[in-house]
DNA sequence: TTTAATAAGTGCAATTTTAACACAAATTAA
DNA sequence: TTAATTTGTGTTAAAATTGCACTTATTAAA
């Protein structure tokens, strides 16, 4: 240290762990890398940070490049900086995890040959990307226990079952239906609509939406959820 | 993205939030910056990352530069990357927080004019360093609720009172003595020695040490502490 | 039209965890 | 000998969590 002169600069990248939920499983969006090294292998979506670009902006840009989406839920995980993590050239990467809905409306940029994978079925990833995914999963799990989750991952209207399945997918364990409903209701963030979803059962199940104001308030406050 | 050519490199730094405990208050170690910009102002200890150096190694090196200590508890916080966070030159910084004992044996490198401050009394810091400290505090608080803490911050032998005071300093609230002792004992990580510390009271209070094996096991396992 | 099948919807009791609380014991300085 | 100080110790009430089973609505099939 002492001053800025003679300090060497380093390549800086962002890699995005993009989570989605298909009403059944938690998934991640991976791309097939089209340049060396590791060309043709599965990878997180990533890109380099420009000198005049905030890290958060770079993450948003990179995510938009792939999905066309803006205003996505995006949160920094941490920096990954082993010297040889990228064998081609020293690159430090900052991991971000994103939550997006899996929707027909979202058109993925063809250029990247992206594909959704169930977390459990994900292929081997390049570099330290598998570590990033594992870290992101742990982070998402912690987040689900301390703040409401689902707004970013579920369709606008959803059934109680879907919400429970989402929690189960994130936490990796089965939850008791009655206890789950009691706890979610205690949070007071849901609005029950008059509508029923008739696809899942003969009886049909009521659709809910999030009360966005209350939801956001709970996100701020946080809580300690024992599901 | 697409390839590595024409990608611009960026200056990368590490800044350390160094926590200590003087048996009374939680403190942070700050330095007086001796170069521009912001020369003469209080700052976190920091330095640049070398091209052939892992980020973790850089953090250890920088901490060692100031304290002479090795094998310090050091954990990455996150990366700070606003474009103008350092007005002199675009620099992305990765924050690390460290836990070290405040001891007479530790000789601080004079060159940095370092000084311990109570968290509450800390001066205004340069750049976004105050944000880093706030983030580190929040992280430390969360850590204290999920894993044992104290091994890195307390002297080898300590009283129950000291441990409680440490928790109170980290959590920022007073704790009930009896409940605290019950919970700590339930963790089963302490060894009671025969010795008493006679400084704090006429009666004297028993000294404890950590059972390092059990302590480390609990660090791995984690728990959910409601103090 | 009746019956069978399916998932939705609903509450309570037992257990565990957490929170609140006060006084006696040991020691030394006055 | 007395006063002052901090240590050390359990119980009880309240709150949170867990485990558990039957009825309802509806449609597809018989």
């Amino acid at each position: 240290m002492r001053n800025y002169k003679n300090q060497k600069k380093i390549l800086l990248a962002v890699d995005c762990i993009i989570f989605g939920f298909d009403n059944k499983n938690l998934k991640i969006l991976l791309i097939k890398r089209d340049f060396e090294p590791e060309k043709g292998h599965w990878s997180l979506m990533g890109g380099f940070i420009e000198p005049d670009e905030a890290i958060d902006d770079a993450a948003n840009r990179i995510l938009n490049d792939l999905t066309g989406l803006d205003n996505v839920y995006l949160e920094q995980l941490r920096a990954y900086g082993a010297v040889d993590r990228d064998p081609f050239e020293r690159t430090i990467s900052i991991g971000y995890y994103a939550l997006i809905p899996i929707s027909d409306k979202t058109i993925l940029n063809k250029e990247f040959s992206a594909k959704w994978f169930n977390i459990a079925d994900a292929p081997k990833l390049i570099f330290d990307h598998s570590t990033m995914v594992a870290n992101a999963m742990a982070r998402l799990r912690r987040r689900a226990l301390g703040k409401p989750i689902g707004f970013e991952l579920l369709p606008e209207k959803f059934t109680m079952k879907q919400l429970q399945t989402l929690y189960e997918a994130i936490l990796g364990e089965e939850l008791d239906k009655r206890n789950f409903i009691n706890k979610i209701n205690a949070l007071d963030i849901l609005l029950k609509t008059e509508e029923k979803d008739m696809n899942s059962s003969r009886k049909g199940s009521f659709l809910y939406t999030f009360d966005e104001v209350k939801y956001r308030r709970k996100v701020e406050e946080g809580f300690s959820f024992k599901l």
Side-chain angles (χ1 to χ4, degrees), chain A residues 4 42-43 94 109 131 144 199 202:
Chain A
Y4 290 61
W42 291 100
S43 159
I94 300 175
N109 187 335
T131 305
N199 298 318
R202 309 200 200 284

Side-chain angles (χ1 to χ4, degrees), chain A residues 180-217:
Chain A
F180 180 77
I181 292 171
N182 289 157
K183 289 204 180 142
I184 288 291
N185 282 334
L187 285 182
D188 185 32
I189 54 173
L190 294 187
L191 292 170
K192 191 176 189 169
T193 70
E194 301 288 292
E195 293 171 73
K196 281 192 164 190
D197 168 48
M198 299 309 294
N199 298 318
S200 61
S201 76
R202 309 200 200 284
K203 183 176 176 180
S205 56
F206 281 104
L207 288 166
Y208 292 79
T209 60
F210 285 109
D211 181 327
E212 195 171 345
V213 172
K214 290 180 175 173
Y215 183 97
R216 303 238 174 264
R217 191 183 310 140

Side-chain angles (χ1 to χ4, degrees), chain A residues 51 94 101 104 129 152 173 176 190:
Chain A
I94 300 175
D104 301 333
H129 287 194
E152 299 84 0
E173 58 179 321
D176 178 87
L190 294 187

Side-chain angles (χ1 to χ4, degrees), chain A residues 152-175:
Chain A
E152 299 84 0
L153 287 166
L154 290 169
E156 200 197 335
K157 295 175 184 174
F158 51 87
T159 65
M160 200 54 99
K161 184 71 192 301
Q162 280 175 284
L163 184 59
Q164 181 177 342
T165 305
L166 171 61
Y167 269 93
E168 289 176 333
I170 292 174
L171 300 177
E173 58 179 321
E174 303 219 325
L175 302 173

